[in-house]
Amino acid sequence: NYDRLITVTISYLSKALEKRIWSYYGRINELGAIRLERDVAGIVSAAVKGSRYGLRDAFVRCTQMTLILNMEDDEWEELIKSTPQEEQEAGIVWQLDANERQRVRAIVKDRA
């Protein structure tokens, strides 16, 4: 019962965290994106503390969002130009589709 409760709670927490990240659209700068990534990583590590490492998969979308937010411009250009086959070879299995990745990239305001 406890494992089932934790699984449902983690699932809800990951969805709420993703909604919160989407709500920051245009309200954070590059420094805020770095802090957001650190905070999300802390939440994920606290939520999956102990032997529940498999629950980390619930947070994949959130961690990919923060990864995109903090990419350098040249990394982002490479990602846009890459084909799905090249992405698989790089070892990245994206949970976000191309449109969502574009929207996530636009969350940070005044990107130079």
Side-chain angles (χ1 to χ4, degrees):
N1 287 336
Y2 179 74
D3 288 339
R4 198 167 31 172
L5 176 66
I6 290 296
T7 303
V8 170
T9 304
I10 294 293
S11 176
Y12 175 78
L13 178 63
S14 68
K15 290 174 186 163
L17 186 58
E18 182 181 348
K19 283 183 181 181
R20 175 60 62 111
I21 294 170
W22 283 119
S23 73
Y24 289 140
Y25 190 87
R27 294 175 27 196
I28 60 172
N29 58 16
E30 291 178 355
L31 190 58
I34 293 169
R35 287 192 63 195
L36 179 65
E37 182 176 27
R38 188 184 68 216
D39 292 345
V40 169
I43 290 169
V44 172
S45 67
V48 298
K49 197 174 196 178
S51 62
R52 299 185 304 266
Y53 192 80
L55 297 175
R56 188 175 292 268
D57 292 341
F59 293 98
V60 170
R61 290 179 60 87
C62 296
T63 55
Q64 286 184 357
M65 289 171 79
T66 58
L67 174 73
I68 292 171
L69 284 173
N70 290 301
M71 279 184 175
E72 297 291 329
D73 291 334
D74 56 340
E75 293 174 318
W76 176 246
E77 294 299 323
E78 287 179 21
L79 179 64
I80 291 174
K81 294 176 184 175
S82 65
T83 64
Q85 183 180 6
E86 290 172 341
E87 289 174 5
Q88 282 183 339
E89 290 172 0
I92 299 174
V93 179
W94 289 102
Q95 298 295 318
L96 302 169
D97 63 27
N99 290 335
E100 288 174 325
R101 288 184 287 212
Q102 290 281 351
R103 285 180 38 214
V104 168
R105 186 68 178 173
I107 288 176
V108 176
K109 68 177 180 178
D110 300 331
R111 189 176 292 276

